[in-house]
Amino acid sequence: VLQESNGPTDAYAAIAKADRLTQEPESIRKWREEQKKRLEELDAASKVTEQEWREKAKKDLEEWNLRQNEQMEKNRANNRIADKAFYQQPDADIIGYVASEEAFLKESKEETPGSEWEKVAQLCDFNPKSSKQSKDVSRMRSVLISLKQTPLSR
């Protein structure tokens, strides 16, 4: 028969434990009880602190979400206004990306040797501070600059 209990299941082990407790000096027993009480108080205090932190974090997250949503709405409104202003201009279909693509294609049809890297350099942003990418592209930037200065010979 298997019994589940919190203490020792063997009768001799229970007696041995009781003997050990009676043989233990009073000062050690007292210290053990105080230590147990102190640990319980620390556990309770840490649970209270953890709950306070959770509430503060939840409140901060809600405030951040509100600010983020407000900022997104402002950006959307500004973008809509800018789009309307852009498309109300005369010849708006020629301005912008279409014009820049056409200019690039016109320049790319020129067959001057060695100007390829200059065209690539025009499309790249070589200012490391203005780049808001998360990847480090400094090595690629230095390769493109060196190729622009000394193009490959064919």
Side-chain angles (χ1 to χ4, degrees), residues 136-149:
D136 182 24
V137 292
S138 59
R139 185 170 175 215
M140 183 68 179
R141 185 181 299 119
S142 65
V143 169
L144 289 175
I145 290 173
S146 67
L147 286 171
K148 178 183 173 187
Q149 292 171 352

Side-chain angles (χ1 to χ4, degrees), residues 126-139:
F126 289 108
N127 188 359
K129 293 181 181 174
S130 69
S131 174
K132 295 183 180 178
Q133 297 174 345
S134 60
K135 294 182 181 178
D136 182 24
V137 292
S138 59
R139 185 170 175 215

Side-chain angles (χ1 to χ4, degrees), residues 31-66:
W31 174 84
R32 193 179 309 270
E33 290 172 1
E34 290 175 1
Q35 187 70 8
K36 185 178 178 183
K37 196 181 301 182
R38 211 172 320 149
L39 289 175
E40 288 172 355
E41 290 172 359
L42 285 174
D43 283 345
S46 69
K47 286 181 182 178
V48 168
T49 305
E50 181 181 350
Q51 186 63 29
E52 290 173 356
W53 285 355
R54 285 181 190 269
E55 290 172 2
K56 184 180 183 298
K58 187 176 180 181
K59 186 179 102 179
D60 290 346
L61 184 61
E62 288 173 358
E63 289 176 3
W64 183 84
N65 283 332
L66 286 174

